[in-house]
Amino acid sequence: MSTPSIAANAYASLARMSDPAGSAKSAGDASAGPSFGTLLKDAIGAVNQSSRASEAQSQAMAAGKANIVDVVTAVAETEVAVDALVAVRDKVISAYEEIMRMPI
Amino acid sequence: MDFIKSIAIAASGLRAQAGRMRTIAENIANADSSATVPGGDPYRRKIATFRSEVDRALDAKVVTFGGTKPDPSQFRLKFEPGHPSADANGNVKYPNVNSLIEMTDMREAQRSYEANINVIGASRRMIQRTIEILRS
């Protein structure tokens, strides 16, 4: 039976989130895979990398060295990455606002 | 991601068709380039070739422009005794370029290019639509 343990984990993580003193202790607890912060950091890193690539391609094209096709694909890739990240950010912020509106 | 890969594969098609277009442009531009020496050979028509190649990073078969091959067909002969490139009999060899064939080839390259662009556009729209799920 795994359901009670999942519920217990959820309660424990909720307790950790609501307890500021315990947050330092929970930071070292990596049993539940990568945290959301790590996930976000990785995503931003990927977006940054792909935007650098498309910038380099655009500069090369301006200098007359790159193929227009390479520029277009690099920019499209960056656009997709940025769009996905922005969508996730909006969703996270709306969730945060939803929680802040919660009557206590 | 698969959609990004399909964009990259279609981009390889764009590059290959651009190479073919360059060859056709060369053929059309040189349609009347006769020899520089009397009795010599004029410009020989070039045929664009494509190769299928495995791209390790994409894990897919992409197309690359495989360079040009000379067209072995015969040159056009014209009787022009006063021409500087005429041979002893007064015949001038003109390139084996047929502008009608070049036009149809160009149309084909154009259509293939558009097909690849449509693949890119469709992949892009699919990605955008997927991301829109998050926004709703």
Side-chain angles (χ1 to χ4, degrees):
Chain A
M1 247 337 228
S2 61
T3 320
S5 73
I6 288 171
N9 274 340
Y11 282 131
S13 62
L14 199 68
R16 253 184 271 129
M17 273 165 74
S18 57
D19 178 19
S23 58
K25 180 181 67 196
S26 65
D29 184 10
S31 60
S35 70
F36 181 74
T38 326
L39 214 67
L40 206 63
K41 213 172 176 179
D42 288 351
I44 291 172
V47 168
N48 199 11
Q49 205 180 345
S50 106
S51 71
R52 283 225 183 102
S54 72
E55 256 172 45
Q57 285 288 352
S58 310
Q59 272 176 6
M61 192 190 67
K65 279 180 238 158
N67 194 346
I68 182 86
V69 174
D70 296 332
V71 180
V72 168
T73 48
V75 170
E77 208 171 311
T78 310
E79 188 193 15
V80 165
V82 169
D83 272 5
L85 191 67
V86 165
V88 169
R89 182 208 63 183
D90 290 352
K91 204 71 183 171
V92 167
I93 287 177
S94 80
Y96 171 75
E97 282 174 353
E98 195 76 27
I99 290 170
M100 290 312 276
R101 273 200 297 272
M102 201 183 284
I104 302 172
Chain B
M1 197 160 72
D2 272 351
F3 286 127
I4 299 288
K5 279 186 187 175
S6 46
I7 288 178
I9 294 165
S12 81
L14 292 185
R15 256 178 246 120
Q17 295 303 329
R20 180 199 213 172
M21 199 62 208
R22 200 189 59 219
T23 313
I24 294 167
E26 212 177 326
N27 286 341
I28 291 179
N30 282 299
D32 295 313
S33 306
S34 55
T36 46
V37 288
D41 277 355
Y43 172 82
R44 192 174 276 282
R45 177 174 177 257
K46 285 176 179 170
I47 302 172
T49 59
F50 298 112
R51 262 184 303 138
S52 186
E53 219 169 56
V54 176
D55 191 311
R56 292 256 171 254
L58 290 175
D59 192 24
K61 281 210 156 191
V62 296
V63 61
T64 54
F65 185 64
T68 54
K69 294 263 166 14
D71 182 351
S73 65
Q74 286 209 322
F75 295 122
R76 280 181 288 142
L77 269 185
K78 259 192 197 169
F79 182 67
E80 282 178 35
H83 199 282
S85 346
D87 61 7
N89 301 324
N91 286 322
V92 181
K93 281 185 191 166
Y94 276 101
N96 50 353
V97 175
N98 185 340
S99 51
L100 205 66
I101 293 173
E102 299 306 326
M103 281 299 162
T104 46
D105 272 3
M106 188 172 79
R107 205 58 81 193
E108 215 178 304
Q110 215 176 343
R111 295 283 173 265
S112 302
Y113 200 89
E114 275 165 19
N116 282 302
I117 281 182
N118 282 339
V119 169
I120 292 178
S123 308
R124 206 164 145 261
R125 272 193 296 278
M126 283 157 96
I127 301 170
Q128 300 281 13
R129 294 281 297 138
T130 313
I131 292 172
E132 268 173 33
I133 297 173
L134 270 177
R135 296 220 177 99
S136 60

